Amino acid sequence: MSASAVSNFNATSMEDALRPDVSVVVPIYNEVESLPRLIEAIETSLQPTSLHYEIICVDDGSQDGSTDLLKRLAQDHTALRAILFRRNYGQTPAMAAGFNYARGWTIVTLDGDLQNDPADIPLLLAKLEEGYDLVNGWRKNRQDAALTRLLPSKIANLLIAQITGVQVHDYGCSLKAYRAELVADMNLYGELHRFLPALAFIEGARITEMPVRHHARQFGQSKYGLGRTFRVVLDLMTIYFMKRFLTRPMHVFGSVGLVSMLLGFGLGMYLTILKLGLGQQIGDRPLLIFAITLLLTGVQFFSLGLLGELLMRTYHESQNRPIYRIREIVE
Ligand code: UDP
Ligand code: MG
């Protein structure tokens, strides 16, 4: 081992020793009334456990004074770190920032509106210790409007479970616990935080769920309306594609393209024989248009597959992202 490698090794092991056991990540957007109680509740829940913890609140461009309050709270609570966004980006970027700045071995996420109960955090962590990479909360007794929230959510959960193959009851529950190394492997875009269990599953994670408490919103109001349902469906398609074809776009597009081209070619040959062999008129036949459309579509799908292959290589190689994930190496 070279000298620099040795000092590197020491540096990392020292950093490792200082890492908290758990980072609690909370996205905050206009939750000024809830904030003080939230921090209290997290501290009350974690102090008795003797775990070394940090609380990371990501202020997502609040306009109600949450930002200043967070700054003040961070002075009184040494465990609290506040990350303040310049403007409102959305819950997913807020969570992604929390993940990036979290230093803990494990990460727990929850909402900043006190709908999740911080008292559940140690229970989730205990479950994680049983050997899982992700524990998903399940709001068995959810306190939200039945028609506009519970029903769409029920349908969405069934759909997501069907399509992703991850049998979790409550994707929308923000209260989750993760092993930090798992989160480091995942990139979040759009509103994909709802699909973290599915993304984790793609990365080969061991996933489980457990019932958690849920309370009605006491202060402020929900940041989402019914429009969310459509975005969930669109995101679901992205996830489905990622799960099936991320490393082999040519197999998807190429095969469709090939079938289409072959069909078009076959029909074209048939029409050619009619024209040249039997001297029939083919200029006014719908079949001719169909054959040409098939040929062109085929070529396009095929090229799309090729482009996909190029993009996929850039995706993996530009960030040194291997196409496999290792759980551990035993020697
Ligand atoms: N949130 C955020 N940025 C946004 C919208 C929401 O950081 O643009 C936070 C919000 O402060 C809360 C969590 O995300 O802590 C969940 O939001 P909300 O409670 O409105 O969602 P619901 O519980 O109604 O699904
Ligand atoms: Mg809420």
Side-chain angles (χ1 to χ4, degrees), residues 20 23-25 54-58 81-85 93-104 107 183:
S23 300
V24 181
V25 170
E54 64 175 359
I55 306 170
I56 300 188
C57 285
V58 185
R81 297 167 73 203
I83 297 169
L84 314 175
F85 278 180
M95 288 179 65
F99 289 155
N100 281 342
Y101 287 90
R103 296 173 292 197
I107 297 178
V183 173

Side-chain angles (χ1 to χ4, degrees), residues 196-217:
L196 274 164
L199 291 170
F201 182 68
I202 296 175
E203 304 285 346
R206 286 176 285 214
I207 300 169
T208 189
E209 65 179 348
M210 69 181 292
V212 295
R213 282 161 271 205
H214 193 248
H215 308 290
R217 209 183 226 282

Side-chain angles (χ1 to χ4, degrees), residues 53-64:
Y53 64 90
E54 64 175 359
I55 306 170
I56 300 188
C57 285
V58 185
D59 173 55
D60 186 13
S62 300
Q63 298 106 23
D64 68 343

Side-chain angles (χ1 to χ4, degrees), residues 26-31 58-60 62 88-92 94-95 110-116 139 142 144 149 172 174 193-194 214 217 221-224 228:
V26 196
I28 302 285
Y29 182 48
N30 295 344
E31 309 284 5
V58 185
D59 173 55
D60 186 13
S62 300
N88 179 240
Y89 284 91
Q91 193 179 343
T92 299
M95 288 179 65
L110 72 159
D111 279 352
D113 55 2
L114 289 169
Q115 287 200 268
N116 298 130
R139 296 166 293 181
R142 191 171 160 188
D144 276 320
R149 304 302 297 270
S174 300
H193 68 269
R194 270 179 223 114
H214 193 248
R217 209 183 226 282
Q221 42 187 291
S222 173
K223 311 316 185 270
Y224 299 101
R228 162 157 74 183

